[in-house]
Amino acid sequence: MNLAVLGAQWGDEGKGKIVDLLTPRFDIVARYQGGHNAGHTVYVNGTKFVLRLIPSGILHPGVTCLIGNGVVVDPQALFAEVDELAKNGIDVDGRLFVSDKAHLILPYHRDLDLLAEARRGERKIGTTSRGIGPAYEDKIARRGIRVGDLADPKGLAQSVRDNVSARNRLVHDTTMDWQSVLSQVVEISKRLTPMVRDVSLFLSEAFTSGKSVLFEGAQGTLLDIDHGTYPFVTSSNASVGGVCTGLGIGPRLIGGVMGVVKAYATRVGEGPMPTELHDDMGQRLRDGGNEYGAVTGRPRRCGWYDAVAVRYAARINGLDVLAITKMDVLDGLDEIRICTGYRCGDRTLTEFPSDVGQLAACVPVYESMPGWSEPTKGVRRFADLPTNARRYLARLEEVSGVPAALVSTGSDRNDTILRDDVIAARLPGFKLAI
Ligand code: GDP
Ligand code: IMO
Ligand code: MG
């Protein structure tokens, strides 16, 4: 049985921790979209790892990790990550593979990302400036360079030349030399080639021999190119549809879908976020949750849990269960709020609007819950949670329309509650108990 674990808010929900935790139950972990704009944090015995391109299952020896065709790969970033892991004694040799159909992020993509943001001025997206958008633009425009193209030196030279020329026509203050880019790419190919596979075929053979796969999403549903708060989104399908297109598998192979959410809300970058708090409480969540970007270090915008947004993510992804993270960050609050609807002019909305302008004009409708004074931090059994924390979780499940199979009470692997009853009811056939 194969499980998709993906973000059901605006990214940074704690996917890395959850994927790492569940990895021992699977043979393979596969990324299907995004690139090194992702920053997935995993703590193992106090050591912090931030995975960007490499699936968060890599810390478990013997697990195979795949980077699918839907991912955009910056080879320098990939090698930097491989080297960083090696320094920590983690060897990826023979168990990290990259799709031959994945598109490459090359140095000009980063320049084009910065240029596009500068040109947008006030209307900037607040990208991670990793060249993600421009690499996907090249893919859709059918001029991108794929990992498999590294095997064709002549075609590669032509494509690099064309793409660097296009970059030079757009970026006026510096000129990039296509031949030096080409020699970088040739150098890259020496190290990348042994990792290249037909990932769709690899997975098909794995399924036939009874292996199970965990599909790891990057970003979150509200940053999805189609279903997110467009144009303030990333350039890929972070929602469940991306699993099929980004790996080359059929939908029936996705046995279950787990949506990861924080017990509150955060967003990094621009775009509407109805429950954002600009007051001391927002700062309290930021400090308590250490809400600073894993990739860019930017402070994350913080606010109360937005059930309208999570219900929407549940619909888009067909979520079977939630994993609710960062409960401990709410420890010690007198009152906790949950947004259950939006007030928009003289109407109350219970469905997430498609139009970003309308969303920006929405004012959250809150209900209030009492907080708890006893800590949830590090609690590993549901019954050991303070009564009000259990009530809060029950209300989150109710207003989100999805039960929580997992509750996270700290950044460490083991600070986690797995609810066997919810797993048995909603993910029958999955043996997730650790
Ligand atoms: P991802 O991108 O979804 O993998 O999430 P990030 O790694 O960007 O951000 C989540 C942050 O929250 C990381 O620093 C995690 O170590 C941390 N984290 C995850 N779960 C918990 C939790 O239950 N409690 C606390 N306090 N921190 C957590
Ligand atoms: P993980 O996987 C949170 C945001 C950026 C920006 C928008 C577009 O760690 O959850 P991009 O560089 O992708 O073109 O930026 O998307 N963004 C993320 N926000 N978590 C992420 O990844 C993100 N990846 C991109 O801040 O608003
Ligand atoms: Mg992150």
Side-chain angles (χ1 to χ4, degrees):
M1 292 280 276
N2 309 309
L3 181 70
V5 176
L6 49 81
Q9 293 166 322
W10 278 282
D12 300 329
E13 298 92 346
K15 299 175 292 294
K17 163 175 169 165
I18 306 298
V19 170
D20 166 71
L21 175 82
L22 298 179
T23 291
R25 297 291 163 263
F26 298 87
D27 301 297
I28 297 172
V29 181
R31 273 278 304 269
Y32 57 90
Q33 46 70 237
H36 66 310
N37 48 349
H40 295 179
T41 314
V42 179
Y43 279 92
V44 186
N45 303 326
T47 305
K48 179 179 175 179
F49 296 87
V50 180
L51 285 316
R52 297 188 161 91
L53 260 171
I54 299 179
S56 306
I58 199 74
L59 305 181
H60 297 267
V63 168
T64 299
C65 287
L66 303 176
I67 295 177
N69 60 278
V71 177
V72 281
V73 179
D74 180 331
Q76 306 294 6
L78 178 67
F79 300 150
E81 215 172 308
V82 169
D83 293 344
E84 189 65 32
L85 286 170
K87 265 196 235 152
N88 286 286
I90 293 151
D91 185 10
V92 306
D93 257 11
R95 61 189 192 99
L96 174 66
F97 302 113
V98 183
S99 167
D100 53 356
K101 292 183 188 149
H103 281 249
L104 291 173
I105 300 184
L106 292 172
Y108 47 85
H109 290 124
R110 189 183 152 82
D111 291 353
L112 294 172
D113 200 348
L114 293 170
L115 178 75
E117 282 286 83
R119 286 196 175 161
R120 285 185 200 111
E122 291 277 279
R123 295 174 61 242
K124 72 177 195 297
I125 289 163
T127 72
T128 58
S129 65
R130 298 294 188 270
I132 304 292
Y136 279 116
E137 278 178 50
D138 279 359
K139 169 177 174 171
I140 301 301
R142 295 161 293 183
R143 57 172 177 253
I145 300 177
R146 307 203 294 185
V147 168
D149 295 335
L150 298 174
D152 165 24
K154 230 168 118 194
L156 186 65
Q158 187 63 49
S159 300
V160 169
R161 186 178 187 161
D162 290 350
N163 287 339
V164 172
S165 306
R167 178 259 178 223
N168 286 341
R169 281 195 297 278
L170 289 166
V171 183
H172 298 300
D173 44 348
T174 57
T175 305
M176 193 174 270
D177 169 27
W178 73 271
Q179 278 166 317
S180 85
V181 176
L182 181 62
S183 43
Q184 279 177 47
V185 176
V186 170
E187 211 41 49
I188 284 162
S189 74
K190 290 183 199 151
R191 194 166 171 195
L192 197 55
T193 302
M195 294 184 205
V196 180
R197 290 292 182 282
D198 178 336
V199 163
S200 166
L201 181 62
F202 188 98
L203 281 171
S204 169
E205 288 169 357
F207 296 137
T208 305
S209 63
K211 296 211 162 102
S212 60
V213 184
L214 195 165
F215 308 113
E216 176 180 6
Q219 291 79 57
T221 305
L222 302 173
L223 289 171
D224 182 281
I225 182 73
D226 286 290
H227 301 292
T229 53
Y230 192 89
F232 302 102
V233 292
T234 191
S235 302
S236 65
N237 285 119
S239 59
V240 74
V243 175
C244 294
T245 55
L247 289 165
I249 64 156
R252 278 185 292 273
L253 290 165
I254 306 171
V257 189
M258 175 182 280
V260 187
V261 292
K262 282 178 190 169
Y264 49 97
T266 65
R267 170 166 203 162
V268 60
E270 307 300 320
M273 177 187 175
T275 64
E276 180 174 12
L277 296 170
H278 297 281
D279 56 7
D280 289 350
M281 184 53 72
Q283 191 57 41
R284 157 73 178 74
L285 292 172
R286 189 172 304 111
D287 292 341
N290 191 23
E291 297 294 355
Y292 296 90
V295 171
T296 57
R298 289 180 292 177
R300 295 176 183 148
R301 300 156 64 192
C302 298
W304 297 120
Y305 188 88
D306 185 340
V308 183
V310 177
R311 271 200 307 271
Y312 172 72
R315 162 154 60 87
I316 296 296
N317 296 297
L319 295 184
D320 294 301
V321 293
L322 293 177
I324 301 180
T325 65
K326 303 194 108 166
M327 271 299 279
D328 54 298
V329 175
L330 303 179
D331 286 353
L333 295 181
D334 292 332
E335 183 207 12
I336 303 172
R337 291 181 167 201
I338 305 174
C339 165
T340 53
Y342 298 146
R343 192 81 197 140
C344 200
D346 53 5
R347 291 191 307 147
T348 301
L349 304 182
T350 51
E351 295 295 338
F352 198 71
S354 302
D355 179 67
V356 81
Q358 191 180 12
L359 182 65
C362 286
V363 179
V365 177
Y366 287 120
E367 61 180 51
S368 171
M369 301 277 297
W372 51 89
S373 48
E374 319 84 324
T376 66
K377 184 152 183 56
V379 169
R380 296 173 187 187
R381 282 172 10 136
F382 195 72
D384 293 342
L385 286 171
T387 309
N388 282 351
R390 274 184 278 142
R391 285 197 184 125
Y392 179 65
L393 284 169
R395 190 64 187 143
L396 290 192
E397 293 177 297
E398 219 163 54
V399 292
S400 310
V402 191
L406 194 156
V407 178
S408 172
T409 57
S411 50
D412 193 84
R413 250 181 207 171
N414 303 313
D415 292 341
T416 313
I417 299 166
L418 270 167
R419 295 171 76 194
D420 295 337
D421 52 338
V422 176
I423 294 166
R426 299 297 299 240
L427 295 173
F430 281 95
K431 296 204 171 25
L432 299 182
I434 304 301

